[in-house]
Amino acid sequence: MHKRVFNFYPGPATLPLPALERARDEFLDFQGTGMSILETSHRSKGYDAVHQETKALVKELLGLTDDYHILFLQGGASLQFAMVPMNLLGEGQSADYINTGSWSTKAIKEAKILGDARVAASSEDKNFQYIPKNPDLDPAAVYVHLTTNNTIAGTQYHAFPDTGNVPIVADMSSDIFWRPFDVKPFGIIYAGAQKNMGPAGVTLVIIRDDMLQKCKSGLPTLLSYGTHAKKDSLFNTGPCFAIYMVRNTLAWVKEQGGLAAIEAINRKKGDLLYGLIDSNPEFFRAPVAKDSRSYMNAVFRLPTEELEKTFIAEATDLDMIGLKGHRSVGGIRVSMYNAMPLQGVEKLVDFMESFARKHA
Ligand SMILES: *Cc1c(COP(=O)(O)O)cnc(C)c1O
């Protein structure tokens, strides 16, 4: 048996143990080929089966219709901040952006380099501690960009704004596959794999065909969605091993019963943690508005920074790691993605309870 901690890192983040074990078992001899998947050509039959299966799992789990293209790109979610406006924002057009934190702010910065990006709503006035309601949307915008889960601020959309006929472009890096949702309003969904879907190194991009048709031509080859869609993400050598790990992770999600079953566990974990915080308001301070709380990344403060340091050190000694809040927010951040077992959050909540009793 290997030692295995409860890993609450925000990303790269914990992966399902069965997905790692499957990789271990197949590592040296991938399906009787006498090679590791790491050594296999990206144009081989063996790899192609993995590529197609990963796409099929994305499609099935999200309930995508045939008009969505599924791409595996590199450059992280951060490159999508630029690729989206580069491909879609033409002369004389503008896009709406909802600013809910560091990642949205970065997306807006890139869009402004490339075209006219308008901030339709922002929660910056309150340190991004809530999801703004009723954004001031422009019906002529090319798209509305939003960040569905704010990994750093600890907020999450629980209902998406009605954008009418304007397609939503969503950065779902830290909560894709956390629950079922209606994909119809979404023209593009993108997500770095390393939070809720796999290891670092691959970015999932889902683009609806009508959006693809609207993409500009004349872009550098690798920065054009059209290139990757036309070549099934195999224009050049892709991140084969990262895609393989996404396959293992999503196969595990499917085995759990799909997104509805995963959501039920995610809600249990989040409700347990927030329940404890709310029952000890003197000791635990959760700064995020209740209706905007994230089920993926919960942030809270203790009475003093000294106690926060002790809390993190003692938790680490108990094999609960990665609980330090982002440097821009401070405090504690509990990242509890799909792969975090309920037992991990139960153990953490027990620890929080006794810590509060001891230091109250
Ligand atoms: C981590 C994160 C990113 C950045 O992802 P990279 O793959 O490192 O570029 C973007 N958006 C959100 C919401 C994130 O959590």
Side-chain angles (χ1 to χ4, degrees):
M1 255 319 265
H2 295 273
K3 169 175 169 171
R4 191 153 171 87
V5 299
F6 287 119
N7 168 2
F8 293 96
Y9 275 127
T14 190
L15 290 166
L17 184 58
L20 294 168
E21 286 170 337
R22 185 173 180 185
R24 178 199 58 197
D25 294 343
E26 293 181 344
F27 192 68
L28 292 180
D29 179 6
F30 177 65
Q31 294 178 351
T33 57
M35 293 175 279
S36 172
I37 182 78
L38 284 171
E39 305 170 296
T40 305
S41 167
H42 60 299
R43 310 220 181 265
S44 67
K45 251 166 96 182
Y47 173 73
D48 189 58
V50 169
H51 198 83
Q52 301 312 326
E53 188 188 343
T54 314
K55 278 170 58 186
L57 283 162
V58 169
K59 185 174 184 199
E60 181 185 344
L61 289 169
L62 295 178
L64 299 176
T65 41
D66 287 338
D67 53 338
Y68 284 93
H69 303 263
I70 298 165
L71 312 178
F72 303 120
L73 307 186
Q74 298 183 74
S78 300
L79 184 59
Q80 294 311 305
F81 297 163
M83 264 179 86
V84 167
M86 191 181 279
N87 278 266
L88 283 161
L89 208 46
E91 275 292 311
Q93 296 180 315
S94 90
D96 279 352
Y97 277 73
I98 303 182
N99 191 3
T100 50
S102 313
W103 297 116
S104 313
T105 304
K106 287 183 175 158
I108 292 165
K109 176 169 177 257
E110 297 301 298
K112 284 191 165 161
I113 295 171
L114 292 154
D116 187 6
R118 196 178 144 269
V119 177
S122 170
S123 51
E124 198 173 4
D125 58 328
K126 286 189 184 151
N127 278 326
F128 300 118
Q129 285 162 351
Y130 70 104
I131 297 291
K133 301 219 169 52
N134 308 314
D136 164 36
L137 297 174
D138 171 5
V142 181
Y143 59 83
V144 179
H145 180 283
L146 53 85
T147 314
T148 54
N149 181 73
N150 297 279
T151 326
I152 295 173
T155 63
Q156 186 174 33
Y157 277 87
H158 293 287
F160 298 115
D162 180 0
T163 61
N165 289 325
V166 182
I168 301 177
V169 172
D171 176 359
M172 292 200 181
S173 291
S174 51
D175 72 349
I176 189 162
F177 299 116
W178 90 279
R179 64 157 179 182
F181 66 97
D182 177 14
V183 295
K184 268 198 253 43
F186 293 86
I188 296 181
I189 292 167
Y190 63 88
Q194 70 273 18
K195 274 62 178 247
N196 208 22
M197 175 169 75
V202 62
T203 309
L204 172 66
V205 175
I206 298 165
I207 179 165
R208 210 170 55 202
D209 195 59
D210 61 305
M211 300 291 276
L212 191 66
Q213 299 313 325
K214 278 187 260 178
C215 285
K216 286 191 266 179
S217 55
L219 297 176
T221 310
L222 224 55
L223 296 174
S224 159
Y225 288 124
T227 301
H228 301 289
K230 212 179 301 156
K231 297 287 184 179
D232 195 15
S233 307
L234 289 161
F235 173 81
N236 68 330
T237 320
C240 301
F241 190 66
I243 294 168
Y244 163 84
M245 281 306 303
V246 171
R247 190 281 305 262
N248 287 5
T249 306
L250 296 185
W252 172 84
V253 169
K254 184 178 166 178
E255 252 172 56
Q256 301 310 293
L259 297 191
I262 285 281
E263 177 183 12
I265 302 166
N266 283 329
R267 291 214 179 263
K268 248 189 214 164
K269 291 185 286 183
D271 291 340
L272 188 64
L273 183 69
Y274 287 119
L276 178 80
I277 288 172
D278 290 341
S279 65
N280 288 274
E282 326 282 62
F283 198 77
F284 299 110
R285 252 177 329 111
V288 166
K290 275 194 182 173
D291 66 356
S292 304
R293 284 173 167 178
S294 168
Y295 276 81
M296 297 284 102
N297 315 92
V299 300
F300 59 89
R301 305 298 310 243
L302 303 190
T304 65
E305 287 188 16
E306 211 43 50
L307 277 172
E308 288 170 352
K309 274 196 195 126
T310 312
F311 179 92
I312 289 163
E314 287 184 13
T316 305
D317 284 343
L318 293 168
D319 288 340
M320 293 179 282
I321 66 152
L323 289 164
K324 194 167 185 290
H326 190 268
R327 58 195 180 280
S328 65
V329 174
I332 314 293
R333 169 170 49 175
V334 182
S335 298
M336 39 190 172
Y337 302 117
N338 289 351
M340 170 55 64
L342 176 61
Q343 296 92 298
V345 177
E346 284 171 348
K347 178 173 170 172
L348 178 68
V349 165
D350 282 349
F351 167 68
M352 286 168 67
E353 225 168 351
S354 64
F355 191 89
R357 226 181 294 119
K358 192 161 128 202
H359 296 282

